[in-house]
């Protein structure tokens, strides 16, 4: 059993802990009250400043400056998009124009020489939509569109490659020989497929 001295020590310790806890609660309450007062006072001051002439001028400056910057950024993106879209459309019309010319001349070609001339638009436009692309290879035009759009059709790429390969073979033949009808038929098939692809893209792009 505990003697009287030990009991007194324990009671004193308990009393001390109770007083410390009470003091801590009181201090914590005071800190919370001060924080609330400080927060209220801070926002009161902020509102007071914003309602003043200086505050209104400051807010106006921020919004005007920010609005001007936003407008410049938007205008820059819009201008860049216009330039990009113009380049894409010009390339598409240039390709469609060349393909249309090739088909027209191939259908009327009797000799290899005439077929060779009919395929000239693969490397050079006979009537360019834009002088910028007059001497640009048709494959380069397709690649430029890919650079501008990030879109690549593997099947179309294969057709363009086949068109160029057939052109190289025909250019190496005797120009006085008659046109091979199998070659002519395949060339027309390739040109029709490429032309329809370009027309579909142009029509889709022009839809509202």
């Amino acid at each position: 059993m505990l003697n009287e001295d030990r009991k007194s020590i324990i009671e004193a310790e308990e009393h001390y802990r109770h007083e410390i806890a009470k003091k801590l609660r009181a201090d914590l309450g005071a800190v919370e009250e001060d924080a609330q007062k400080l927060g209220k006072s801070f926002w009161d001051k902020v509102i007071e400043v914003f309602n003043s002439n200086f505050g209104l001028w400051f807010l106006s400056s921020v919004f005007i400056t920010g609005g001007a910057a936003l407008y410049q950024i938007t205008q820059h993106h819009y201008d860049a998009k216009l330039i990009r879209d113009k380049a894409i459309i010009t390339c598409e019309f240039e390709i469609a124009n060349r393909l249309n010319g090739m088909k027209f001349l191939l259908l009327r070609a009797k000799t290899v020489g005439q077929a060779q001339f009919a395929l000239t638009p693969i490397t050079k436009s006979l009537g360019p939509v834009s002088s910028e692309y007059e001497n640009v290879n048709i494959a380069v035009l397709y690649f430029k569109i890919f650079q501008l759009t990030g879109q690549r059709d593997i099947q179309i790429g294969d057709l363009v490659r086949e068109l160029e390969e057939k052109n190289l073979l025909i250019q190496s033949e005797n120009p006085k020989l008659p046109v091979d009808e199998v070659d002519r038929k395949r060339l027309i098939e390739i040109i029709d497929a490429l032309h329809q692809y370009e027309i579909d893209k142009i029509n889709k792009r022009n839809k509202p």
Side-chain angles (χ1 to χ4, degrees):
M1 294 182 63
L2 297 173
N3 56 36
E4 292 299 324
D5 291 339
R6 185 59 179 165
K7 286 181 179 180
S8 296
I9 292 172
I10 292 173
E11 288 175 358
E13 289 176 348
E14 288 296 328
H15 179 72
Y16 176 75
R17 281 195 290 269
H18 177 72
E19 289 297 324
I20 290 297
K22 184 178 178 181
K23 181 74 167 58
L24 287 173
R25 283 194 296 271
D27 290 345
L28 181 59
V31 169
E32 290 177 350
E33 184 178 353
D34 289 343
Q36 291 175 355
K37 288 180 179 179
L38 179 61
K40 183 178 180 181
S41 175
F42 171 77
W43 287 112
D44 286 343
K45 290 292 185 183
V46 170
I47 292 171
E48 182 181 343
V49 170
F50 283 158
N51 282 333
S52 67
N53 290 334
F54 170 77
L56 293 174
W57 170 82
F58 176 76
L59 288 175
S60 299
S61 299
V62 169
F63 284 119
I64 291 172
T65 303
L70 179 61
Y71 173 78
Q72 288 179 343
I73 293 171
T74 303
Q75 186 66 37
H76 173 73
H77 285 297
Y78 178 74
D79 292 342
K81 185 178 184 302
L82 279 181
I83 294 171
R84 170 182 166 275
D85 289 348
K86 180 182 177 182
I88 293 171
I89 291 171
T90 302
C91 285
E92 288 174 345
F93 273 98
E94 177 67 32
I95 291 171
N97 182 54
R98 291 192 189 192
L99 293 169
N100 190 56
M102 278 191 279
K103 181 178 179 179
F104 177 84
L105 293 172
L106 274 173
L107 289 172
R108 290 156 180 77
K110 303 297 183 182
T111 65
V112 170
Q114 291 173 331
Q116 290 171 343
F117 177 74
L119 294 174
T120 299
I122 292 176
T123 57
K124 177 182 178 180
S125 178
L126 297 176
V129 171
S130 171
S131 58
E132 177 185 359
Y133 300 127
E134 181 175 1
N135 296 303
V136 177
N137 188 288
I138 196 169
V140 176
L141 292 173
Y142 277 102
F143 180 69
K144 184 173 180 64
I145 292 176
F146 166 67
Q147 285 182 311
L148 293 168
T149 64
Q151 299 172 357
R152 177 174 177 267
D153 189 304
I154 295 176
Q155 183 178 4
I156 294 301
D158 290 342
L159 289 175
V160 173
R161 183 169 59 253
E162 185 179 355
L163 179 64
E164 288 195 305
E165 289 173 352
K166 285 195 170 296
N167 176 52
L168 290 174
L169 290 173
I170 290 175
Q171 296 298 334
S172 65
E173 294 177 359
N174 186 339
K176 295 181 179 180
L177 294 175
V179 176
D180 186 288
E181 289 302 321
V182 175
D183 286 341
R184 189 212 302 266
K185 182 180 178 181
R186 180 54 187 161
L187 282 168
I188 296 298
E189 288 176 351
I190 295 171
I191 290 170
D192 279 343
L194 292 174
H195 189 265
Q196 188 59 52
Y197 175 76
E198 291 306 319
I199 294 301
D200 288 344
K201 285 202 305 179
I202 291 170
N203 290 338
K204 183 179 180 179
R205 197 177 303 282
N206 290 334
K207 283 184 179 180

